[in-house]
Amino acid sequence: HVSTQLVTVGERELPVERIRSTEDAAKAFAYLPRWAVEHFDAIVTDKDGKPLAIIGGFKGDVGSTSAPPSTLIAELSRIDGASKLWAAHNHPSGMATLSDADVRLDKNLQRVLDGSGIEYHGLFAMVGAGSRTGVLKYDHTMVGPGEVRVSRRPLARVPIVDRELTDRRDDVEKLDHPAKSKSVIPQIAGDRPGLVFLDSQHGVSAFVPFSGDEMGSLRVQGRLMRLFRAASKANARSAIVADPGGRLSAKQVGNLATALSNVDITLLDAVSYDPGGGDTQHRSWAE
C-alpha cells in the first residue's frame, strides 16, 4: 500500500575521483564548512572508493543538527553497489572538536551497520581555517585531528539523493487493535512467515517474507541490508511478525526486533496461527 523510490534531487561536484583515505574524504566534504549552520552529509562509495551518492542532507542551527541513523540507512540501503560510508558535518563555531553527541552518533552508526556488508569509515567534525589559506581542519572519530588543503578543481559529479512516495492508497487496512491483527495477518501472510510493515498510523504498508533461519541470523548473506531495504521501500514505522504454524522461536523474533529498533521501527507483536484456518494467538516478542 505504500512504496518509495530513491530519486536524485541535486548534484555536487567533488574535488576527488576516489575516496580511499581519510584525507580523500576530508577533501570531498570541503564544501561543508562554508555554511553558517550545521549541515550533515554522508557519502556512499563502491568498493573501489568511487562516490555513488550523497545522502542525509540534514540541516540544524548554529550549534547542532539532528541526523537520525534510521533515515541514513533508509537511503543507503537503496543504493546499488554501495560498499562504504563516510559521514561529516561542519562546526560553525570554528572548533574542529567532536562533541559527546557526535561520538554517540558515530557509535550508533557503527552498531547499526555491523554485519550489514557496508564498511563504515567514521564521522568528521569540520571547520574552515580561512578562505585565504585554503586549509580545512577536522576531527575524525577514527583518526583524530587533522587538516587538509582544499582543491577547487572538480573531478567528480555525484548525485544528491532522497526518497519520495510513489504509491499511497486511501483504502489502507489499519491494524490498530490486536483483534484486527488476529484476523488480517493470516490473510496477508498465508503460510509464509515474515513481516507485515505498518506506517505511522498502523496502516498496512507491505508484507515481506522472512524465514525463521533468516530472522535468527541477520548479519550474514546480506540479510540485514535486505531487511532495511524492505523497510525503506515500505516507509515503515512499526511491524508485526506473521508466524504461521507457530514455528518461530523467541530468539528469532527477538533478534529481528533488535535489528528493527536500530532503525527506529517498533516490533509490535507476533501473531501465531494455523494457516489452515485454526486458532490464532498473539505473542509479545519481549516474552
Side-chain angles (χ1 to χ4, degrees):
H1 290 299
V2 177
S3 185
T4 69
Q5 67 178 0
L6 198 69
V7 297
T8 298
V9 296
E11 190 177 66
R12 188 168 296 284
E13 294 181 338
L14 300 183
V16 294
E17 291 182 300
R18 294 286 189 275
I19 299 177
R20 292 172 173 158
S21 66
T22 305
E23 182 176 339
D24 291 340
K27 290 179 179 179
F29 285 118
Y31 62 89
L32 284 172
R34 74 174 185 265
W35 301 116
V37 299
E38 285 199 13
H39 283 245
F40 181 106
D41 280 350
I43 298 177
V44 184
T45 78
D46 67 9
K47 59 182 177 58
D48 296 319
K50 179 183 177 181
L52 300 177
I54 296 174
I55 62 175
F58 303 111
K59 179 180 177 181
D61 57 27
V62 296
S64 65
T65 188
S66 176
S70 56
T71 302
L72 288 170
I73 302 306
E75 296 169 1
L76 169 64
S77 67
R78 308 291 289 278
I79 298 172
D80 293 336
S83 180
K84 302 177 182 181
L85 182 72
W86 301 80
H89 69 303
N90 61 312
H91 276 183
S93 65
M95 299 294 292
T97 303
L98 290 159
S99 68
D100 291 343
D102 295 337
V103 173
R104 287 194 297 271
L105 173 59
D106 175 73
K107 290 181 178 179
N108 285 340
L109 286 169
Q110 288 184 47
R111 186 185 70 252
V112 175
L113 290 171
D114 180 32
S116 69
I118 302 294
E119 295 180 22
Y120 173 61
H121 288 272
L123 171 65
F124 288 95
M126 314 185 77
V127 301
S131 58
R132 293 181 180 179
T133 66
V135 173
L136 180 148
K137 293 184 178 181
Y138 62 81
D139 193 5
H140 187 265
T141 51
M142 294 182 179
V143 302
E147 63 179 43
V148 66
R149 184 166 294 278
V150 178
S151 170
R152 297 183 180 274
R153 186 162 67 97
L155 295 177
R157 293 177 180 270
V158 182
I160 302 168
V161 301
D162 204 340
R163 290 184 304 147
E164 68 176 17
L165 289 169
T166 57
D167 181 30
R168 184 176 179 85
R169 303 173 193 169
D170 294 331
D171 58 341
V172 174
E173 187 97 52
K174 292 188 181 296
L175 303 187
D176 50 6
H177 191 276
K180 200 75 173 290
S181 300
K182 181 177 179 180
S183 62
V184 173
I185 295 297
Q187 296 176 25
I188 295 174
D191 61 357
R192 297 174 297 173
L195 279 165
V196 175
F197 281 124
L198 309 178
D199 63 22
S200 58
Q201 300 299 314
H202 290 182
V204 174
S205 59
F207 171 67
V208 182
F210 251 90
S211 71
D213 288 343
E214 290 174 324
M215 292 181 191
S217 300
L218 285 169
R219 299 183 187 275
V220 297
Q221 300 177 5
R223 293 170 182 171
L224 189 61
M225 197 53 69
R226 179 166 77 88
L227 176 67
F228 293 157
R229 189 180 303 115
S232 170
K233 187 173 182 180
N235 214 27
R237 189 62 175 174
S238 58
I240 296 175
V241 170
D243 180 19
R247 294 188 294 271
L248 299 179
S249 69
K251 182 178 180 180
Q252 290 168 338
V253 177
N255 189 49
L256 185 66
T258 299
L260 290 173
S261 69
N262 286 335
V263 289
D264 295 333
I265 296 175
T266 303
L267 186 57
L268 300 174
D269 208 348
V271 178
S272 301
Y273 57 91
D274 179 355
D279 291 341
T280 303
Q281 297 180 343
H282 289 84
R283 291 192 302 160
S284 170
W285 66 266
E287 296 174 355

